[in-house]
Amino acid sequence: METIDQKYMERAISLARKGAGFANPNPMVGAVIVKNGKIIGEGYHKKCGELHAERNAFASLKESCEGGDIYVTLEPCCHFGRTPPCTQAIIDNKIARVIIGSRDPNPLVSGKGAEMLREHGIEVIEDFLRDKCDEINPVFFKYITTKKPYCAIKYAMSLDGKIAAYTGKSKWITSEAARQHVHALRGEYSAILAGIGTVLADDPMLNCRIENSHQPLRVIADSDLRIPLDSNIIKTANEYPTLIACVNADENKKKLIEEMGAKVVTVEEKSGHADLSRLMNILGELQISSVLIEGGGEINESALRSGIVDKVYAYIAPKIIGGKTAKTPVEGLGADSPDNAAFLCSPKITMIGSDILIEYDVERGFC
């Protein structure tokens, strides 16, 4: 049976999720202030560089919160970053009890926020609904500890594992509902990555088509800088942030691409392609905390082999396409035995219209 404390923390969790996409590379955080059995203030971290959840909650107050409780999904920060520390705001507002969900792995905060509050006589309860709070921020937890983006693969396939017919036609495998779900997913990630093969075959936009959503950085892995200047990606590079990662760059074409609004970076070569591990390092340095790969079977195989993949989203349509030459979600060389396959864990299954979405965390890539 849900307790009162659970009710308020669940509310804080739902608030935190409103920051999806916009908070990156910061964590999604929600806060709820309660006094005399009622919510008197609440807030969430809306955008990186703006006020944190606790300070937004205090800003929403219509009455004094002295002696009240605050429920916060992540340990309050205790250092000056882009904004002042939230621990000081809690102390200044004379909160009596702080209920914390997740512990902050940021070495600037980890344990120090809770300790500072206790030093000022405030009761602190840690690890409350921690598992649910941790589920909000796998991106932040990886990025803040490794400085590398959290990386996911997304693909849509028929029930027999085809991402296109033998003719190469792939529109549309899944339903409109599933495609809308993908756009919402894009809005949660800092960047969308595709290979040049996808650009040449489909001429995609790779943007989020949900109004007022975060627009991710579009990243194209294009070893020899083959991307056409009249492709949708380049033509809209001034409208949507775009980065082209190449190994060999024709300087004249590079200049033209950059004049059209895209950024071109050079990445070291591996197995004839741009080294995806090195690319993740570059993106991390650019404060890109998460990457959604929406490419074909070759780039998916390369990503799994390089060990950069943390999650897989597989949209499965109730169709059988068939064809021994029809493309599949993961191609390349593949594993040499089932024992050396990429292993997945923690399945989650969701019905979306007539399609099924299966999500897995990646336990390990190809051996």
Side-chain angles (χ1 to χ4, degrees), residues 64-289:
S64 170
C65 63
E66 181 175 350
D69 302 332
I70 186 167
Y71 297 78
V72 60
T73 57
L74 182 71
E75 180 182 3
C77 64
C78 55
H79 68 289
F80 280 89
R82 293 183 177 91
T83 58
C86 293
T87 47
Q88 193 59 53
I90 292 170
I91 294 164
D92 292 344
N93 281 277
K94 299 180 180 179
I95 289 289
R97 189 172 71 130
V98 180
I99 301 91
I100 298 170
S102 297
R103 298 190 180 216
D104 193 334
N106 185 344
L108 295 174
V109 179
S110 187
K112 300 180 183 73
E115 181 183 358
M116 181 179 289
L117 295 172
R118 290 189 177 105
E119 287 173 352
H120 283 79
I122 297 171
E123 181 185 356
V124 178
I125 298 171
E126 295 182 270
D127 301 329
F128 188 78
L129 294 190
R130 181 173 176 176
D131 287 348
K132 287 189 175 182
C133 291
D134 283 355
E135 285 178 4
I136 304 171
N137 284 308
V139 168
F140 172 72
F141 292 156
K142 179 179 181 181
Y143 180 73
I144 201 64
T145 55
T146 68
K147 297 304 178 186
K148 295 181 181 181
Y150 180 91
C151 185
I153 284 174
K154 166 261 157 184
Y155 54 81
M157 69 178 189
S158 61
L159 189 59
D160 58 332
K162 306 297 184 182
I163 62 172
Y166 74 92
T167 59
K169 292 183 179 179
S170 60
K171 294 181 179 179
W172 294 106
I173 289 177
T174 50
S175 64
E176 175 63 26
R179 298 197 296 276
Q180 281 296 110
H181 191 273
V182 168
H183 282 288
L185 190 63
R186 286 179 179 177
E188 295 180 8
Y189 277 78
S190 301
I192 307 298
L193 171 63
I196 184 61
T198 295
V199 174
L200 295 175
D202 300 333
D203 195 21
M205 283 286 290
L206 298 178
N207 62 333
C208 176
R209 296 171 199 168
I210 296 177
E211 191 174 355
N212 299 321
S213 285
H214 159 73
Q215 288 295 339
L217 171 70
R218 302 179 302 180
V219 181
I220 307 301
D222 182 7
S223 299
D224 297 315
L225 209 58
R226 292 187 291 151
I227 190 165
L229 296 178
D230 63 351
S231 64
N232 282 325
I233 293 291
I234 298 301
K235 286 192 299 184
T236 59
N238 277 318
E239 185 178 356
Y240 302 107
T242 305
L243 183 147
I244 314 298
C246 65
V247 175
N248 306 298
D250 176 270
E251 289 302 319
N252 289 330
K253 187 170 184 180
K254 176 182 176 182
K255 182 180 178 182
L256 289 171
I257 288 172
E258 292 188 328
E259 286 175 351
M260 294 178 76
K263 179 180 176 65
V264 179
V265 298
T266 303
V267 184
E268 295 173 10
E269 180 269 341
K270 184 177 181 181
S271 302
H273 301 287
D275 187 331
L276 295 182
S277 293
R278 297 288 188 181
L279 178 56
M280 292 303 121
N281 290 339
I282 291 171
L283 294 175
E285 291 169 2
L286 294 173
Q287 294 195 318
I288 298 299
S289 60

Side-chain angles (χ1 to χ4, degrees), residues 21-50:
F22 295 101
N24 297 335
N26 285 352
M28 290 184 281
V29 185
V32 172
I33 302 170
V34 176
K35 186 175 179 181
N36 298 326
K38 70 172 184 177
I39 294 175
I40 61 170
E42 58 183 30
Y44 66 97
H45 185 37
K46 296 181 180 179
K47 189 176 182 181
C48 181
E50 296 185 0

